[in-house]
Amino acid sequence: MTDVYLEIGPKRVFACACDWPGWCRVAKGEEAALEALAEYIPRYRVIADRAGLPFEPDAFTVVERAPGGTTTDFGAPEAIPAIDARPVDAATAERDAALLRAAWSVFDEVAAASPEELRKGPRGGGRDRDKMVAHVVEAERSYARKIGVRHKPFPMADLAARDALREDIAAVLAEPSGGWSREAGGWPARYAARRMAWHVIDHIWEMEDRRL
């Protein structure tokens, strides 16, 4: 079975696979969220393949329902489920880090293959490619503080600085942990891996869907 938790906001629900960082989908209602998660199996398989991991998910088992809030309804996960307080062994930590690295690799390839101008949304919104890339990298720099990694701002063209940030993030997440946050008010490792991977992968799919 594939363990999934649901983050339940006032209007929308996230379905997130516990052991596949970044495989999360949001919809109006629990069943719709689970259906959306299933629909994205082929697209997430690209990430798993890049990480060198077999990905043949089975029937979903909902192992937890976590209360969400306004951020959930906005379209981003915010709840840290109780399951993420469990200790993380070396194999699980390495696996989570590998999937995040794979998400970065695919994101960079998709960005390189996408035009600067992306199709606008139904209301004329949405970032173009370079602004989306800058947004993702800056978000990672912000998220990194939640696990004790701090880097100064750097230009988007400074790929060495970007890669150094990612290496430091991956190094922390690849370490076994007790399920607690390294920083006061920070994130446990499994949640950090899932949230960071979700943000990267969500923008991979957005960029792919909005190519002109």
Side-chain angles (χ1 to χ4, degrees):
M1 308 296 280
T2 300
D3 287 349
V4 172
Y5 73 88
L6 300 176
E7 177 182 321
I8 303 172
K11 298 179 181 179
R12 305 177 81 186
V13 176
F14 262 99
C16 298
C18 299
D19 297 322
W20 295 98
W23 185 25
C24 302
R25 291 286 87 193
V26 66
K28 293 181 178 180
E30 294 187 12
E31 290 302 319
L34 291 168
E35 289 173 3
L37 193 68
E39 288 172 2
Y40 275 74
I41 288 173
R43 297 183 80 168
Y44 190 85
R45 184 172 285 113
V46 173
I47 307 299
D49 287 349
R50 182 63 57 89
L53 297 170
F55 181 66
E56 296 298 335
D58 210 333
F60 296 147
T61 299
V62 176
V63 296
E64 184 177 343
R65 287 174 170 82
T70 56
T71 302
T72 314
D73 286 350
F74 176 75
E78 66 170 330
I80 300 176
I83 55 172
D84 286 346
R86 298 172 182 170
V88 182
D89 61 24
T92 300
E94 288 282 359
R95 186 176 179 279
D96 284 355
L99 286 162
L100 179 56
R101 288 180 184 275
W104 285 328
S105 175
V106 174
F107 179 83
D108 292 345
E109 286 185 5
V110 170
S114 297
E116 161 57 14
E117 183 180 355
L118 299 174
R119 184 173 59 249
K120 301 301 180 185
R123 298 182 181 179
R127 299 176 181 89
D128 283 327
R129 182 199 62 202
D130 288 353
K131 288 185 178 180
M132 190 185 300
V133 170
H135 163 71
V136 168
V137 174
E138 182 58 24
E140 287 168 3
R141 196 178 67 82
S142 176
Y143 294 160
R145 294 197 292 269
K146 295 289 190 177
I147 57 171
V149 174
R150 288 174 171 79
H151 281 239
K152 294 180 180 179
F154 52 84
M156 186 181 69
D158 190 345
L159 300 184
R162 182 204 66 185
D163 291 346
L165 169 65
R166 289 177 172 177
E167 283 302 313
D168 286 350
I169 291 170
V172 169
L173 296 180
E175 296 176 357
S177 70
W180 55 78
S181 302
R182 293 166 60 104
E183 293 283 301
W187 292 342
R190 295 222 79 190
Y191 177 78
R194 189 181 307 113
R195 177 65 180 270
M196 291 184 192
W198 166 80
H199 192 242
V200 176
I201 293 169
D202 194 60
H203 283 296
I204 290 171
W205 294 339
E206 179 190 358
M207 201 179 304
E208 289 175 337
D209 292 344
R210 292 179 53 223
R211 287 172 173 168
L212 295 174

